Amino acid sequence: MTGPAPGTVGPLSAVVLRICDQAERRGVAELRSAVAPVRAALTEPLRVAVLGSVNAGKSTLVNALVGRSVAPTRATECTRLVTAYRYGHPELVEIHLRSREIRRIPLTRAGTLPDELGVPTEDVDHLEVMLSQQVLRTLTLVDTPGLGSLNIETSDRTAEFIGASGGAAVAATVDAVIAVFSADIRTVETDVLRRFRATSGGGPAQSPVNAFGVLSKADLLGRIQDPWPEAEELAGDFSRRLSDQLAGVAPIAGLLAETVAVGGFTESDADAVAALSTLPAAERRALLRSGEHFTGRPAPVSGQVRDRLWCRLAPYGLSVAFEAVDRGAHGAAAITAALHRASRVDALHERVTGQFARRADALKASAALARLEHLAFDRTLARPDRLWLADTVEAARLSPELHRLIELQAVIETTAGEVTLPDRLTEALLALAERDDPADRLGLAAGTAPEASARRARELSDDFRLFAFSAAPREQRIASVGHRACQLLLDQLERDRSVGSTLGASS
Ligand SMILES: Nc1nc2c(ncn2[C@@H]2O[C@H](COP(=O)(O)OP(=O)(O)OP(=O)(O)O)[C@@H](O)[C@H]2O)c(=O)[nH]1
Ligand SMILES: [Mg+2]
């Protein structure tokens, strides 16, 4: 199986990987096999699960993110199975059976999942689909069966896979979650999200780092020409109601996003839209009233082509395309650019790259620590091993090496507006938590001399400390994180300096 080279493990994940190595060296078979999946997840790209109710638009969103219409968006056997899309050659489908056997079958000629697997779905644990899409080098996307499905087993598969069902947490291999909503929030979703949060390491007082929401099908809300005011209002409402479980909810037009991402709007589609645009405005509006109107009313484009346009763009996309042509857009590329903007998919990409991919190391390390912590309660392991795990994980959490996880959490709380620091300290905390080079972390130019960096670290450390004196408890806690980050950075600068002088002396 193709995964990233072990060398690409980030510094925080490396700390947790060392705990896994120590666990293996204890030489206890049960402990070793319990820790093996945690270890494996640390050496792979971040695993992000897309979950939500039946028909919410999950698979459409997965396709939009993968950049290929590979996940089925019609009811087939596969929509009832957890399916991970990951980077790998050659492209194929791995059927992971409950018996632990793995069968391999090809994708269809169109490069999609086959409708039938040739194995009863009850025997299948999950599917892993190897694809050569570049985006999967940094993220593995996991499509899940709809929560709240009439078929309880289908729904349970999702809960089990993301580790939200009771004791199965350790089996979970998901580091982060995108929750997809259509028009409402159902209890089953909030339950699963709450349990995911509990098993993935986020404390109740902290904002979620590893989960955000998408209000998909935003194009179906409000006016055809401009669904956004209603979509934003609803997304804002979801965001407030789920603020304990999600770092915000972004409205997007998922179907349009998929069409654009997979290059589904062609030159012949552009010609068809141009031909339809010649119709009077009132007739265009009448066409957009329903699928039957669009394909059935007299128009200078064949019914078959119109059917395809309706399926790929839906009324909102068509209205955007007409408007683009009215404004002089010509050809597939120009209309596609307008559709891309109109889908608001960039908000999703920003979250996926900003919140998830950029913080992959921290998210993976956090998820792995939480999994190890859960193992400490796993009664199938011997008591000494459980105690050892509990102590080792606790010590790691408090270690200077993993302080970055605490800093990151502090940033999330600050940027979510839950804690108010003076702007200069917010900026300083952000740089400390999110950057790598010591000078850069202190807001100084790259290549700044270590002495000047140390001076700045001391100043900043004092600034955080003095602010904490008169701050409210929450702010105090965040400021002390900033203070400790500065102190640890000072230690690092001292160490680097002494290594430098030793090297200087020996050369
Ligand atoms: N208009 C519109 N239709 C959408 C959008 N997203 C999905 N759909 C349609 O909604 C239907 C369901 O979409 P899927 O992506 O299969 O939904 P799902 O959540 O994966 O469904 P299950 O796997 O069966 O639970 C399909 O017909 C999609 O084309 C959207 O943003 N706008
Ligand atoms: Mg689906």
Side-chain angles (χ1 to χ4, degrees):
M1 201 167 293
T2 323
T8 59
V9 171
L12 303 172
S13 299
V15 176
V16 190
L17 212 49
R18 280 206 295 277
I19 302 181
C20 297
D21 290 342
Q22 287 168 17
E24 284 189 11
R25 279 202 296 274
R26 285 173 73 85
V28 179
E30 289 79 9
L31 182 64
R32 185 187 289 238
S33 65
V35 166
V38 182
R39 185 178 215 300
L42 280 166
T43 60
E44 287 184 12
L46 191 77
R47 275 173 99 90
V48 180
V50 178
L51 59 90
S53 290
V54 175
N55 209 37
K58 303 176 292 295
S59 304
T60 302
L61 210 70
V62 166
N63 289 335
L65 287 168
V66 173
R68 211 163 114 177
S69 291
V70 60
T73 55
R74 293 163 295 115
T76 68
E77 271 183 3
C78 296
T79 60
R80 287 189 275 137
L81 296 170
V82 169
T83 307
Y85 296 91
R86 46 188 294 170
Y87 186 79
H89 295 293
E91 294 202 334
L92 53 79
V93 184
E94 282 184 357
I95 307 173
H96 288 242
L97 297 170
R98 290 193 188 274
S99 63
R100 294 188 174 251
E101 185 196 337
I102 299 175
R103 294 205 191 153
R104 291 180 177 82
I105 59 169
L107 290 162
T108 65
R109 281 226 264 203
T112 60
L113 267 183
D115 282 355
E116 281 169 23
L117 300 170
V119 194
T121 40
E122 331 52 287
D123 296 348
V124 180
D125 183 71
H126 71 280
L127 305 177
E128 304 249 336
V129 182
M130 308 298 155
L131 298 175
S132 55
Q133 308 298 110
Q134 284 303 307
V135 62
L136 299 177
R137 280 181 177 268
T138 45
L139 287 178
T140 291
L141 283 162
V142 185
D143 195 6
T144 62
L147 293 166
S149 160
L150 287 179
N151 179 337
I152 302 285
E153 197 224 354
T154 301
S155 191
D156 279 357
R157 279 175 188 265
T158 298
E160 190 183 316
F161 190 77
I162 69 160
S165 77
V170 177
T173 56
V174 167
D175 302 307
V177 153
I178 301 174
V180 183
F181 305 97
S182 41
D184 53 7
I185 305 175
R186 295 160 62 178
T187 323
V188 60
E189 289 157 340
T190 44
D191 281 355
V192 167
L193 287 173
R194 196 174 301 119
R195 282 182 284 160
F196 172 68
R197 184 138 169 68
T199 52
S200 66
Q206 299 168 333
S207 274
V209 197
N210 56 359
F212 68 82
V214 167
L215 174 65
S216 199
K217 304 196 181 184
D219 56 305
L220 298 180
L221 300 161
R223 287 192 330 120
I224 289 177
Q225 286 80 2
D226 185 13
W228 298 108
E230 277 197 33
E232 273 164 11
E233 196 183 322
L234 193 62
D237 175 45
F238 287 5
S239 194
R240 280 185 293 280
R241 281 161 61 191
L242 295 171
S243 62
D244 287 347
Q245 283 123 44
L246 300 173
V249 178
I252 75 153
L255 180 65
L256 216 48
E258 177 187 4
T259 299
V260 169
V262 306
F265 189 80
T266 61
E267 288 303 339
S268 66
D269 294 332
D271 291 344
V273 167
L276 292 169
S277 292
T278 60
L279 293 168
E283 180 53 29
R284 281 183 355 195
R285 276 199 300 279
L287 277 175
L288 296 186
R289 238 173 255 147
S290 74
E292 287 80 50
H293 279 75
F294 190 73
T295 48
R297 288 174 77 92
V301 172
S302 78
Q304 201 186 356
V305 170
R306 281 186 267 163
D307 187 43
R308 177 188 140 84
L309 282 175
W310 184 265
C311 290
R312 300 214 163 180
L313 303 182
Y316 170 61
L318 284 162
S319 114
V320 170
F322 288 151
E323 238 177 68
V325 171
D326 289 347
R327 282 200 314 273
H330 184 72
I335 300 175
T336 297
L339 294 171
H340 175 94
R341 277 193 302 278
S343 73
R344 302 212 177 173
V345 72
D346 282 344
L348 172 67
H349 287 301
E350 268 162 35
R351 293 304 192 94
V352 171
T353 50
Q355 192 179 330
F356 288 169
R358 195 161 48 85
R359 293 171 176 161
D361 182 30
L363 290 176
K364 282 200 294 176
S366 278
L369 275 179
R371 278 174 210 141
L372 292 175
E373 223 155 36
H374 278 276
L375 281 179
F377 294 93
D378 182 344
R379 296 259 165 202
T380 60
L381 297 179
R383 189 174 145 78
D385 290 328
R386 284 191 277 129
L387 287 178
W388 174 82
L389 261 178
D391 289 348
T392 311
V393 171
E394 191 183 343
R397 280 199 194 281
L398 297 173
S399 71
E401 286 167 299
L402 289 190
H403 193 257
R404 279 293 186 100
L405 294 180
I406 300 171
E407 292 164 26
L408 188 67
Q409 190 61 53
V411 163
I412 303 284
E413 283 180 61
T414 312
T415 48
E418 291 168 12
V419 181
T420 319
L421 299 187
D423 286 350
R424 65 174 195 290
L425 293 184
T426 303
E427 267 171 44
L429 187 65
L430 220 100
L432 281 165
E434 305 257 23
R435 299 185 192 161
D436 292 320
D437 174 72
D440 205 17
R441 290 184 69 198
L442 291 161
L444 301 172
T448 301
E451 291 74 18
S453 294
R455 220 170 19 250
R456 173 76 187 129
R458 266 184 232 106
E459 280 165 18
L460 203 53
S461 164
D462 286 346
D463 204 355
F464 276 116
R465 192 168 48 83
L466 286 173
F467 170 76
F469 269 135
S470 52
R474 262 193 161 179
E475 276 75 15
Q476 214 168 48
R477 182 168 53 79
I478 301 294
S480 63
V481 172
H483 176 251
R484 178 141 198 255
C486 293
Q487 292 295 319
L488 291 170
L489 188 49
L490 261 175
D491 291 349
Q492 184 193 337
L493 288 165
E494 293 292 336
R495 269 198 314 276
D496 292 352
R497 228 166 19 175
S498 63
V499 172
S501 61
T502 319
L503 288 177
S506 61
S507 62

